[in-house]
Amino acid sequence: MRYSRQNKILELIKTHVVETQDQLQDLLEEAGYKVTQATISRDIKELQLVKVSIDKDRYKYTSGKFDKQPISERFVKIFRETIISYASAQNLIVVKTLSGCGNAAAEAIDCLGLDHVVGSVAGDNTLLIIVDHEDNVKEILDGFENMIALRV
């Protein structure tokens, strides 16, 4: 549920001008997530959200990720804890996730910057990964196995 909620927060701050935690709480509740202010505060910290100026007197939340920022172990953990199964066909990999976690798993894969991954498309509980050539799929799947082996 946490990953689904955090994914929803990222979606909300991309599609709305979210200026306060109260506003974020209202938007989350409209989307079906019952949350407390403490939970929102923790999510903001974990997601590394920052406030940026939108005009002279107003600020909004935005993602604090930067292109040159080192990849966090958090992305591996998100992927590892949300996937159920995966299978490949030629240069495509289909990943099944927990309900509501497809986008979080896709974001994790995208942020890991895996070699040979051209892109990904996510749904609620499914992720499609496009690999540049079918000869490179095994390398990606081996990487998945290594991430899953870290499961405690």
Side-chain angles (χ1 to χ4, degrees):
M1 182 62 137
R2 182 176 93 202
Y3 294 121
S4 175
R5 181 184 65 247
Q6 288 181 349
N7 192 49
K8 181 52 103 177
I9 289 171
L10 292 173
E11 178 185 320
L12 289 170
I13 65 170
K14 286 180 184 175
T15 58
H16 296 81
V17 175
V18 180
E19 298 181 55
T20 66
Q21 289 185 11
D22 287 337
Q23 183 183 4
L24 183 56
Q25 184 174 11
D26 291 343
L27 289 168
L28 283 168
E29 288 181 1
E30 286 175 21
Y33 295 89
K34 185 165 174 53
V35 294
T36 65
Q37 188 278 328
T39 299
I40 290 173
S41 184
R42 271 191 306 275
D43 287 343
I44 288 170
K45 183 177 179 180
E46 287 181 16
L47 292 169
Q48 300 176 3
L49 302 183
V50 294
K51 280 193 162 184
V52 296
S53 178
I54 53 176
D55 63 34
K56 188 171 95 177
D57 297 320
R58 295 175 52 210
Y59 295 86
K60 72 171 187 168
Y61 283 104
T62 188
S63 175
K65 74 177 186 184
F66 301 96
D67 291 340
K68 301 296 182 192
Q69 183 178 353
I71 300 300
S72 169
E73 175 64 27
R74 181 172 176 273
F75 293 120
V76 173
K77 184 176 180 183
I78 289 170
F79 183 77
R80 185 175 63 232
E81 292 183 0
T82 61
I83 67 161
I84 295 171
S85 66
Y86 52 86
S88 65
Q90 297 178 4
N91 71 318
L92 305 175
I93 301 171
V94 176
V95 179
K96 294 291 188 178
T97 70
L98 298 172
S99 183
C101 295
N103 285 317
E107 178 71 8
I109 291 298
D110 291 345
C111 289
L112 287 171
L114 300 173
D115 289 338
H116 310 295
V117 173
V118 176
S120 64
V121 180
D124 183 60
N125 65 349
T126 306
L127 162 63
L128 174 66
I129 300 169
I130 298 96
V131 181
D132 59 4
H133 192 276
E134 64 186 284
D135 292 342
N136 297 319
V137 168
K138 182 176 179 346
E139 180 180 332
I140 303 296
L141 295 177
D142 288 346
F144 290 176
E145 286 297 321
N146 289 336
M147 284 189 267
I148 292 168
L150 298 173
R151 234 183 249 196
V152 183

